[in-house]
């Protein structure tokens, strides 16, 4: 082995697949040198402010802009009529009602002029020379709105006599969704030895990304070209949405995204403000910038979750699952966000069966309009919810049937020998060892030692509970992804991808894959992801798809680089291309020591290497994959909580998780993703809840009212990996970004239920806030004075 081979082997040991490489972005971001959208300042830019409705429901009688237009610095005020040339914001999902009719799609204008439907509904856009001038003028716009009754809960909105948001949407039901065979499911329930039924509230969440939304609109009149600087989860998808709204061809729209301070699903879509500032930029002939404030983001950013479900599980006498049924409501808010109906419908179907053999699944969901902020994807987007329903059902069924909760799970696991497994959801699980993951988690969490820990808690006057949450997630649907590889003049190598890092840390793991496949030095690899002009495809980041989709794209693009490199190297080495082998970054004539490294070959090409006709003149590749299939990350999380019965305060005091993410590219980053997801799950379980009053006013409109998890809430995490590589992609990866929420919600809520059981409390909904827990304990004490 020569020195270069040794060097390559050492590099792979340090930077190859499976190594805990620190995030490449961190030195820049920690020093405050990131470039977020609000950091962009363009010559001559003006500033926009949005006028929003303070009524949840009402008829617009007049919008008086006269005083505002006369204020200093005001350049323009735009109303809905000014934006008539643009298309609406759409939800284009091809979903159908149970009777076969299409989803009741209502186009959303960027600005409303007839009727407001939620507090925060945008009615006007003010543009001025300075931000303060724009804000002052926005406050001077006088709205005359005739209030109408409001409704904020989905189930209430679907009742007879509820306020109607749209004349042509009877009962406010946008979609009456149904999946499964109702007759067979009913028969299974009728024949069951036992049926467990739970009414479960999956509360509404404010997404609370670290960075509020911002955007800059530009219009080049000479070229007829639009450019939008904005946060996104993928510029290719954002560009496609804008092309539709602006009625512009692909070469006339460009989207640029720099660093993004979190999204969790919320920043994936085009928002009304972006259309407003693009129009203003064209009307004024100068860039127009808009940056939200936290108070605005609370009411205008898409919210998460908000489902009301009755979950039912039918079992035979031995505890074998016969059928599962979900019936309930999904709150859409006042309009349909692009993917809003998916979470309580399709994604509930795909994920609720989890790791268990469940012969029949029926899901019946009404997706309902209400006078609230739009609801859309939030970390997991139906995946944590589906797993939560199943895990709460299993624990309850185990208690009702007097079967050990671990044993009930073991009896119903899909077994490794059954893979590939055709689930009743229509999914085909390709890999996994669910019984082994549970066994690993039970041992890893010291399940047997819980009784001792419970006694110690009791001595301190605390209730202690032990909860388990198994999960399986179906990642984003199959779609294409770009894998571009470009050898730059400065000797670096650029990966071009259609996914986008908004906190995940893509640069290091993507570089690890490329370094291993091409032998390119890790430190020379750069990532380009936020310029739509560079992309030929891109599914964006969401649904835990990035490493699987971009990883596949990088592997396939690397193979094309090698194929081109063989032909070029054959000329340089004066050999036949068929005799050229590639290994550890070097093209070698088989059976000899004559070779050239890939970086040296790239340098020779930059130096003007003369090549015969038919031989590629570059190593660069622009490649788009075929649709990359969904994967099935899974795991088992075990949480322990302590409850102070005097105050109702719940603390997560111990947390262990065993996950199967398939091939783990970078364990350091994977652990970070799990930490973040679990804390978000804990936040929803214990404290987060967006609440409205009867008039549709958001009661939790700031961090004074909306509780967010802080560092003190997070327990010490014990994480372990039990990988079973996926068979559906070349790297064997499964995705990890949303698993923490799925495991966290179920395990923490099951632990709380376990702790409260000794006081006779059999159910509590999220969030298990101190007030709610304390009241449940007081009510139980009043009902059974001798208990506790």
């Amino acid at each position: 082995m020569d020195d270069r081979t040794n060097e390559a082997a050492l590099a792979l040991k340090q930077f190859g697949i499976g190594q805990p490489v620190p995030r490449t972005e961190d030195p820049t971001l920690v020093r405050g040198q990131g470039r977020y959208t609000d950091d962009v300042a363009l010559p001559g830019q003006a500033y926009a402010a949005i006028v929003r409705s303070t009524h949840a429901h009402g008829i617009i009688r007049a919008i008086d802009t006269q005083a505002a237009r006369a204020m200093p610095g005001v350049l323009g005020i735009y109303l809905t009529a000014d934006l008539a040339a643009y298309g609406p914001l759409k939800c284009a999902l091809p979903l159908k009602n149970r009777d076969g009719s299409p989803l009741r799609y209502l186009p959303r204008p960027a600005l409303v002029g007839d009727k407001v439907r939620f507090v925060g509904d945008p009615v006007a856009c003010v543009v001025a020379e300075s931000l303060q001038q724009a804000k002052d003028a926005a406050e001077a716009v006088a709205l005359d709105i005739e209030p109408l009754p409001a409704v904020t809960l989905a189930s209430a909105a679907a009742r007879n006599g509820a306020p109607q948001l749209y004349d042509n949407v009877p009962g406010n039901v946008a979609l009456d969704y149904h999946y499964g065979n109702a007759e067979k499911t009913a028969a299974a329930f009728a024949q069951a030895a036992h049926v467990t039924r739970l009414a479960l509230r999956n509360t509404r969440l404010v997404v609370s990304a670290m960075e509020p939304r911002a955007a800059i609109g530009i219009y080049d009149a000479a070229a007829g070209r639009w450019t939008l600087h904005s946060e996104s989860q993928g510029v290719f998808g954002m560009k496609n949405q804008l092309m539709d709204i602006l009625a512009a061809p692909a070469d006339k729209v460009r989207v640029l995204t720099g660093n993004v301070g979190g999204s969790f699903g919320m920043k994936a879509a085009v928002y009304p403000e972006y259309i407003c500032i693009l129009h203003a930029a064209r009307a004024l002939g100068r860039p127009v910038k808009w940056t939200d404030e936290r108070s605005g983001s609370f009411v205008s950013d898409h919210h998460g979750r908000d489902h009301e479900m009755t979950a039912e599980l039918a079992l035979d006498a031995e505890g074998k699952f016969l059928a599962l049924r979900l019936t309930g409501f999904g709150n859409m808010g006042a309009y349909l966000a692009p993917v809003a109906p998916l979470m309580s419908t399709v994604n509930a179907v795909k994920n609720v069966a989890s790791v268990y053999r469940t012969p029949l699944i029926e899901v019946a969901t009404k997706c309902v309009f209400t006078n609230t902020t739009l609801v859309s994807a939030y970390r997991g987007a139906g995946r944590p919810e589906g797993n939560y329903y199943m895990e709460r059902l299993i624990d309850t069924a185990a208690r009702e049937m007097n079967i050990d909760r671990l044993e009930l799970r073991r009896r119903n696991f899909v077994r490794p020998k059954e893979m590939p497994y055709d689930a009743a959801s229509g999914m085909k699980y390709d890999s996994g060892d669910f019984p082994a993951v549970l066994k690993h988690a039970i041992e890893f969490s010291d399940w047997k030692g819980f009784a001792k820990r419970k006694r110690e808690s009791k001595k301190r006057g605390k209730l202690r509970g032990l909860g388990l949450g198994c999960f399986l997630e179906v990642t984003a649907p199959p779609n294409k992804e770009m894998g571009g590889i470009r050898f730059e003049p400065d000797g670096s190598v650029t990966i071009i991808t259609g996914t986008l890092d908004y906190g995940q840390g893509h640069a290091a793991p993507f570089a690890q894959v490329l370094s291993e496949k091409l032998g390119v030095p890790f430190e020379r690899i750069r990532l380009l992801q936020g310029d739509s002009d560079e992309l030929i495809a891109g599914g964006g980041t969401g649904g835990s798809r990035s490493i699987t989709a971009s990883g596949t794209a990088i592997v396939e693009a690397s193979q094309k680089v090698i194929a081109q490199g063989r032909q070029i190297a054959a000329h340089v080495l004066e050999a036949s291309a068929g005799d050229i082998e590639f290994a550890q970054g070097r093209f070698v004539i088989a059976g000899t020591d004559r070779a050239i490294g890939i970086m040296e070959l790239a340098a020779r090409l930059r130096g003007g290497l003369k090549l015969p006709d038919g031989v590629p003149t570059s190593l660069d590749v622009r490649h788009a994959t075929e649709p990359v299939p969904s994967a099935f990350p899974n795991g088992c999380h075990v949480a322990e909580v302590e409850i102070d019965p005097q105050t109702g305060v719940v603390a997560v005091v111990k947390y262990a998780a065993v996950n199967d993410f398939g091939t783990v590219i970078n364990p350091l980053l994977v652990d970070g993703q799990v930490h973040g997801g679990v804390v978000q799950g804990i936040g929803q379980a214990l404290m987060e809840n967006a609440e409205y009053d009867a008039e549709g006013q958001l009661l939790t409109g700031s961090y004074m009212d909306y509780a967010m998890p802080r560092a003190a809430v997070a327990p010490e995490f014990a994480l372990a990996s039990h990988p079973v590589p996926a068979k559906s992609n070349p790297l064997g990866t499964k995705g990890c970004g949303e698993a923490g929420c799925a495991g966290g919600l179920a395990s923490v809520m099951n632990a709380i239920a376990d702790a409260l059981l000794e006081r006779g409390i059999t159910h509590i909904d999220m969030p298990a806030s101190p007030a709610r827990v304390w009241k449940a304990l007081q009510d139980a004490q009043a009902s059974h004075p001798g208990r506790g």
Side-chain angles (χ1 to χ4, degrees), residues 47-49 71-72 128-139 293:
Y47 296 83
M71 293 180 70
E129 293 285 358
S130 74
L131 176 59
Q132 192 58 53
Q133 288 172 332
K135 291 168 67 174
D136 289 345
E139 290 183 3
E293 296 178 346

Side-chain angles (χ1 to χ4, degrees), residues 440-765:
H440 191 166
I442 295 307
E443 295 169 353
F444 185 62
S445 65
D446 188 22
W447 184 277
K448 292 181 179 178
F450 173 73
K452 179 181 178 182
R453 296 190 292 276
K454 186 177 179 70
R455 289 192 298 269
E456 292 170 346
S457 294
K458 189 172 185 178
K459 289 178 183 177
R460 292 182 283 107
K462 303 291 181 67
L463 306 175
R464 194 175 186 111
L466 176 64
L468 178 142
C470 293
F471 72 91
L472 176 141
E473 295 187 293
V474 182
T475 63
N479 48 32
K480 293 185 176 183
E481 192 50 76
M482 180 173 176
I485 299 174
R486 191 165 67 204
F487 290 78
E488 305 288 6
D490 65 357
S492 64
V493 180
T494 299
I495 297 171
I496 307 169
T497 178
T499 57
L500 194 136
D501 169 13
Y502 47 90
Q504 294 86 349
H506 287 174
F510 289 4
Q512 287 174 259
V513 173
L514 186 66
S515 181
E516 181 152 312
K517 297 304 176 184
L518 286 186
V520 174
F522 177 88
E523 65 277 5
R524 294 202 198 177
I525 300 173
R526 306 290 178 263
L527 180 62
L528 194 162
Q529 56 185 351
D531 184 349
S532 64
D533 278 2
E534 296 280 358
L535 301 182
I536 58 173
T541 291
S544 298
R545 71 179 295 276
S546 292
I547 193 58
T548 298
S550 285
T552 296
I554 292 167
V555 169
E556 292 179 357
S558 296
Q559 292 167 347
K560 290 180 176 292
V561 170
I562 292 169
Q564 292 173 194
R566 279 199 177 101
Q567 297 181 61
I568 302 168
H571 172 75
V572 172
L573 298 173
E574 300 178 335
S576 167
D579 292 332
I580 301 296
E581 297 177 345
F582 182 81
Q584 295 185 323
R586 302 173 72 214
F587 294 97
V588 184
I589 300 176
T592 75
D593 59 358
R594 293 182 60 205
I596 185 170
I598 191 168
M599 299 303 287
E600 182 184 349
L601 190 61
R604 294 279 295 274
L605 288 166
R606 289 196 299 273
L609 178 66
K610 301 296 184 183
L611 294 167
D613 292 342
V615 175
T617 59
S618 170
L619 293 172
D620 296 352
V621 165
R622 286 166 59 84
H623 170 67
T625 66
E626 291 303 311
V628 180
S630 297
F632 304 95
N634 62 89
C636 180
H637 291 205
V638 180
E640 293 184 32
V641 301
E642 277 192 341
I643 299 175
D644 183 344
Q646 301 303 313
T647 64
V649 171
V650 179
V652 181
V653 294
K654 193 172 187 293
Y655 200 98
V658 175
N659 298 294
D660 170 13
F661 296 140
T663 301
V664 173
I665 304 298
N666 187 321
L668 183 67
L669 271 64
V670 166
D671 285 357
Q673 286 290 296
V674 175
H675 290 171
V678 170
V679 170
Q680 285 182 270
I682 291 172
Q684 182 176 2
L686 300 188
M687 61 193 71
E688 292 189 60
N689 189 19
E691 292 196 50
Y692 289 86
D693 68 11
E695 284 73 45
Q697 295 293 330
L698 182 63
L699 298 175
T700 51
S702 76
Y703 293 132
M704 295 293 288
D705 318 293
Y706 185 86
M708 288 277 286
R710 300 187 180 188
V713 173
E716 290 293 325
F717 297 103
L719 305 181
S721 181
H722 195 105
V724 180
K727 298 179 180 179
S728 55
N729 66 81
L731 291 172
T733 58
K734 292 183 176 179
C736 67
E738 295 157 311
C741 275
L745 273 184
S747 61
V748 171
M749 288 306 295
N750 276 343
I752 293 168
D754 182 59
L756 294 175
L757 193 58
E758 66 179 83
R759 297 292 178 93
I761 302 166
T762 57
H763 177 68
I764 190 167
D765 262 324

Side-chain angles (χ1 to χ4, degrees), residues 288-551:
V288 178
K289 183 175 186 175
W290 170 81
T291 301
D292 209 353
E293 296 178 346
R294 190 62 66 178
S295 57
S297 66
F298 262 82
V299 297
S300 67
D301 292 349
H302 297 163
H303 289 175
R305 315 287 194 228
D306 203 348
H307 308 143
E308 304 163 72
M309 286 291 179
T310 297
E312 302 170 278
L313 184 63
L315 306 94
D316 68 14
E318 285 72 44
K320 180 182 177 181
F321 299 169
L322 302 176
L324 175 73
R325 186 161 55 200
L326 290 179
T327 309
F329 302 89
N331 196 333
M332 301 293 100
Y335 305 91
L336 288 182
V339 299
L342 283 181
M343 281 69 78
S344 57
T345 59
V346 173
N347 283 1
V349 170
K350 288 182 178 181
N351 292 276
V352 70
S354 185
V355 294
Y356 307 105
R357 289 192 304 274
T358 311
L360 293 166
I361 297 173
E362 183 183 4
V363 174
T365 308
K366 290 184 177 179
C367 297
V368 183
F369 289 118
T370 65
N371 295 115
T372 63
T373 299
L374 285 66
V375 175
S376 192
Y378 172 75
R379 198 169 191 168
R383 299 169 184 89
E385 296 96 309
N387 283 276
Y388 172 70
Y389 302 143
M390 177 60 98
E391 291 301 299
R392 287 296 296 124
L393 280 170
I394 293 174
D395 264 24
T396 305
R399 173 176 54 81
E400 292 173 347
M401 297 182 73
N402 197 29
I403 300 174
D404 179 80
R405 52 184 164 168
L406 301 181
E407 178 57 28
L408 185 57
R409 287 173 169 85
R410 292 188 187 104
R411 292 179 189 179
N412 288 283
F413 278 138
V414 176
R415 305 284 170 178
K417 65 181 180 182
E418 297 175 276
M419 298 292 179
Y421 177 76
D422 291 309
S425 61
M427 297 291 100
K428 184 185 286 289
Y429 302 170
D430 68 295
S431 59
D433 190 343
F434 313 139
V437 168
L438 174 67
K439 183 176 184 293
H440 191 166
I442 295 307
E443 295 169 353
F444 185 62
S445 65
D446 188 22
W447 184 277
K448 292 181 179 178
F450 173 73
K452 179 181 178 182
R453 296 190 292 276
K454 186 177 179 70
R455 289 192 298 269
E456 292 170 346
S457 294
K458 189 172 185 178
K459 289 178 183 177
R460 292 182 283 107
K462 303 291 181 67
L463 306 175
R464 194 175 186 111
L466 176 64
L468 178 142
C470 293
F471 72 91
L472 176 141
E473 295 187 293
V474 182
T475 63
N479 48 32
K480 293 185 176 183
E481 192 50 76
M482 180 173 176
I485 299 174
R486 191 165 67 204
F487 290 78
E488 305 288 6
D490 65 357
S492 64
V493 180
T494 299
I495 297 171
I496 307 169
T497 178
T499 57
L500 194 136
D501 169 13
Y502 47 90
Q504 294 86 349
H506 287 174
F510 289 4
Q512 287 174 259
V513 173
L514 186 66
S515 181
E516 181 152 312
K517 297 304 176 184
L518 286 186
V520 174
F522 177 88
E523 65 277 5
R524 294 202 198 177
I525 300 173
R526 306 290 178 263
L527 180 62
L528 194 162
Q529 56 185 351
D531 184 349
S532 64
D533 278 2
E534 296 280 358
L535 301 182
I536 58 173
T541 291
S544 298
R545 71 179 295 276
S546 292
I547 193 58
T548 298
S550 285

